[in-house]
Amino acid sequence: MISRLIELFLKVAIFVATMIGIIILSTYLYLLPELPRVDNVDQSKLQIPLKIYTSDEKLIGEFGEKKRRPLDFQEIPEDLKNAFLAAEDDGFFEHRGVSYPSLIRAFSQYIRVGLDATGGGTITMQVVRNYLLTREKKVRRKIKEIFLAFHLESSFSKQEIFEIYVNTIFLGNRSYGIEAAANTYFGKSVGELSIAESALIASLAQLPSRVNPIRNPERTKARRNWVLYRMKILNFITEQDYVTAINSEINLPISINNYDLEASHLAELARFEVINRYGIRAYEEGWSVYTTIDSELQKRANEAITKRLFEYDKRHGWRDKKNYADQLGNEFFNTIEKEDFDFLISQDYVIQSDPIDYENLSEKVLRNIFEENSYVLSHQRAIVIEVWDSGFRAIDEEFNFEKIDWDDSYIWAREFIDENRRGAVPKGFTDLLQPGDLIYLTKENDQTRLDQIPLAQSSLISFNPKSGEVQSYVGGSVFNDSQFDRVRQSYPQSGSVFKPFIYASALSGGYNPSSLINDAPIIFEDENLETFWRPENYSGKFYGLTTLREALVQSINIVSIKLLREIGVKKSSEIIDNFGFNFDRLPQDLSLALGSGNFSPAEVARGFSVFANDGVISDIHYVRQIRDKNDNIIFDHSESNDVNISSISAFPWLNTVQLDASKPYFLLPPINKADPVIDPRVAFMVKDILKEASQRGSNGRLTRFLDRKDFAGKTGTTNDAVSTWFSGFNSNIVTTVWVGNDDFESLGDNEFGSTTALPIWVDYMDFAFKKVDIDEFTLPDGISYVRINKKTGELSKSAEDESYFELFLREDL
């Protein structure tokens, strides 16, 4: 009887084994046509990203799916090898590609949670998954993974598979492979890593989006410690090594994930143009693009904009904050301070299990809320937990509890009603906050303080008018929040900053700085405006007979309008076209005198280069050189040629791609004029008037802090202060600043170019002038200072007349 049972059992076992074998073989043969070749796992084609630098080699951008440098197996330190084995697959060198206990665990997870199950993947299976398969969570894909793992193990040695794995694995922050991660997180090569640093890099392998030393340092430290514990129990490190490593802090370079310098808008422009010219290969072959940006000037531009936008924002009061109380629920506020966020650094917890599996509902909800709101490098996002008049408590994005005390410095936070009105002075935090509010915190003198992120935007472009090289470029205040480039892509009304071009057209047509126009009320009937127009001066006053010099210095609207009417809109527009403002985009009515045309800050800055550069217009460029990974020159601006691609149809044998690649990287379509576009004497006279305009009156109260007098410039404010400007220059630098709102809302009735844009310009130029030579005063040929009669604006016939000295063209004498 027993023998029969044994015989039956054996038959059943053989049958089951045969059926399993048939099923496996059938499945394999069925899927075989879909399985990729394992010899496609080829490291010779590893992508090396495109890097964008300033002129002095500060990294401002890195583009391409992957950044890495491959290593040979022998180059990988033992501690780093062991850290990955401890974290991912300690039996790697023993199994044949598949770990059956791990598969059983993964299958049990699948039964419990479905396709969201994780695990069951050896290092070999991870190589297969990363290189040969998609990451979709399907049973069919998992079966393919198992078959391919066996194939891979039979085609490559263990050392080769491990080498492929550590050179291709994603370790967060666009770092693929251990060398790239070591450089990203520690600024080191793998050979310089400590045990703790090696364990941290290995800890990122599983889920770098959740274990990230930059965005999630507490969970990263927890998993690093768990990896160290695993290394200890596997006898990869000693007890003393473990104690030393587990007590070490995570010290990361400040520049991680933010490059050496913020110049993202220009870096994006360079990336776009390089890819447009050379194609996707530029992402993969390790090219380096060296822009014309000066890192010191760029840093100062960023600082000036940040400082002055925050000042502007505080002038207009405290805005209501997003509130997440309903989303968080009452239970959150009842239990949040009882939540043990310290579990993440608890050695007891580390020893129990892998902290990557720990789920904390509050942590998950908070992370989702923080990710919904703009990330600002200088600030911490936080959620208010409890508020009272003299203080409040909040939890920040690093899960630190902060208590902020009230002081009188917060009286700026009067309720924002609209851009012109604010509410009463707050008496405490209960006037500002309620539990659930999303707020921003900043550090001032090591003290955490409540702050508010400005909504207003600003752009700045600064370049050398002689060489045309861009020296600093800020397309907006927070690139992560908005990639919109306000230097090139925004076309706000120009306002009074456009007036110098109207006056230049007048001086080119026979007027002189001493010419008189009556500043008096007037009503225009302009058929292009379809109505009567009663223009006013900003001051609301009228000044009678006024010289062109004084009218431009004071930015008097009525005089500008009457002057344009006398010149003729069409004739004036034809002259203004020489400044790079396309005739077809110039409004053909008298509103042109007040800057009703819409032009980008880049176009306005280029126009001012004519005054700075003795009548010659600058073709602004932003790339000096491009080199490949072997340091061979791909592009050099000094050797580039501006080729008109549209003309090569007559020469079909020419390579259009090569021709296009050799063109300079111009910010705007080039004018290609080496000769002056206006009379250099006219440029000098406008420059002389704008020198007075920038150093007198309300402008002078700000610019007097500059230790220089060799500059000129003009403010601009459009109707309702929707856009505000300042463009200033000398012969060696042109800098244009714009401030406004992207939604075209007013900045406020009491805001002008002199209160918003000019302070940014002054802060920036205070530093820039240290790097710019002083202009030497040189009077152009054909122009003289002559005595002018104040009453008539004509040449004085007698030294006894009430007169003054003014610039005059000699042919008019």
Side-chain angles (χ1 to χ4, degrees), residues 304-317:
I305 284 177
T306 298
K307 174 185 174 184
R308 297 301 184 172
L309 284 185
F310 273 90
E311 287 180 357
Y312 162 81
D313 194 66
K314 286 179 170 57
R315 290 200 293 270
H316 293 269

Side-chain angles (χ1 to χ4, degrees), residues 787-802:
R787 191 181 293 275
I788 300 294
N789 187 298
K790 276 188 177 182
K791 293 181 179 180
T792 66
E794 302 294 335
L795 293 172
S796 177
K797 298 178 180 179
S798 169
E800 297 178 358
D801 292 341
E802 188 178 2

Side-chain angles (χ1 to χ4, degrees), residues 517-537 542 556-567 569 589-594:
I517 291 182
N518 190 24
D519 178 34
I522 191 170
I523 299 176
F524 292 104
E525 182 178 0
D526 190 323
E527 60 182 15
N528 292 318
L529 296 177
E530 300 180 354
T531 185
F532 292 103
W533 183 31
R534 296 176 176 83
E536 296 179 351
N537 295 324
F542 300 96
I556 299 175
N557 288 342
I558 302 298
V559 174
S560 302
I561 295 166
K562 288 184 176 180
L563 178 63
L564 179 59
R565 185 179 62 171
E566 290 183 13
I567 305 168
V569 174
D589 58 61
L590 294 177
S591 69
L592 178 66
L594 304 185

Side-chain angles (χ1 to χ4, degrees), residues 280-560:
I280 202 67
R281 60 182 288 217
Y283 277 157
E284 303 171 347
E285 298 181 6
W287 291 6
S288 296
V289 177
Y290 296 93
T291 68
T292 58
I293 290 291
D294 181 303
S295 65
E296 292 181 329
L297 292 179
Q298 181 70 21
K299 181 174 182 290
R300 187 56 175 246
N302 291 331
E303 291 171 349
I305 284 177
T306 298
K307 174 185 174 184
R308 297 301 184 172
L309 284 185
F310 273 90
E311 287 180 357
Y312 162 81
D313 194 66
K314 286 179 170 57
R315 290 200 293 270
H316 293 269
W318 179 259
R319 299 182 301 276
D320 287 340
K321 304 304 168 195
K322 291 182 183 177
N323 188 274
Y324 292 89
D326 291 342
Q327 182 174 330
L328 291 166
N330 292 332
E331 189 65 19
F332 171 85
F333 295 100
N334 294 334
T335 62
I336 182 62
E337 295 198 59
K338 298 176 184 176
E339 294 260 20
D340 182 18
F341 291 103
D342 289 337
F343 81 92
L344 294 165
I345 56 173
S346 165
Q347 286 194 35
D348 293 337
Y349 181 80
V350 168
I351 292 173
Q352 293 172 21
S353 61
D354 185 347
I356 200 171
D357 298 323
Y358 183 90
E359 288 293 337
N360 180 300
L361 182 60
S362 295
E363 177 197 8
K364 186 175 181 180
V365 172
L366 285 170
R367 285 206 184 281
N368 288 338
I369 290 172
F370 291 141
E371 290 301 319
E372 286 178 16
N373 292 276
S374 300
Y375 169 68
V376 180
L377 179 63
S378 58
H379 288 65
Q380 284 273 326
R381 294 166 289 197
I383 288 287
V384 176
I385 299 170
E386 182 183 7
V387 187
W388 58 98
D389 273 342
S390 60
F392 71 91
R393 288 177 61 81
I395 183 168
D396 68 22
E397 59 189 287
E398 293 184 357
F399 297 94
N400 298 313
F401 290 98
E402 299 282 359
K403 178 179 176 294
I404 314 298
D405 294 321
W406 175 266
D407 62 51
D408 289 342
S409 67
Y410 291 110
I411 61 174
W412 67 267
R414 296 163 59 185
E415 178 192 5
F416 173 86
I417 299 174
D418 58 38
E419 65 274 11
N420 298 313
R421 295 182 299 157
R422 292 185 295 165
V425 174
K427 296 182 173 59
F429 283 124
T430 54
D431 291 338
L432 308 178
L433 302 171
Q434 55 184 328
D437 279 353
L438 187 286
I439 58 172
Y440 285 84
L441 303 175
T442 188
K443 290 281 188 182
E444 292 182 10
N445 300 320
D446 294 326
Q447 183 180 5
T448 302
R449 299 189 61 79
L450 175 67
D451 207 354
Q452 177 173 267
I453 306 302
L455 294 180
Q457 280 288 350
S458 180
S459 66
L460 181 151
I461 176 173
S462 184
F463 66 96
N464 184 322
K466 294 177 179 175
S467 67
E469 289 193 341
V470 174
Q471 295 176 311
S472 54
Y473 190 104
V474 182
S477 59
V478 182
F479 182 80
N480 290 335
D481 196 31
S482 170
Q483 287 79 54
F484 182 60
D485 184 351
R486 295 160 189 83
V487 171
R488 292 184 311 113
Q489 298 172 322
S490 177
Y491 295 89
Q493 279 196 340
S494 51
S496 298
V497 80
F498 193 78
K499 287 177 181 175
F501 307 110
I502 301 292
Y503 284 75
S505 69
L507 296 176
S508 299
Y511 287 81
N512 289 291
S514 61
S515 298
L516 294 170
I517 291 182
N518 190 24
D519 178 34
I522 191 170
I523 299 176
F524 292 104
E525 182 178 0
D526 190 323
E527 60 182 15
N528 292 318
L529 296 177
E530 300 180 354
T531 185
F532 292 103
W533 183 31
R534 296 176 176 83
E536 296 179 351
N537 295 324
Y538 274 119
S539 65
K541 300 177 181 178
F542 300 96
Y543 301 96
L545 287 174
T546 307
T547 65
L548 295 194
R549 173 182 288 274
E550 189 64 18
L552 183 53
V553 168
Q554 297 283 3
S555 196
I556 299 175
N557 288 342
I558 302 298
V559 174
S560 302

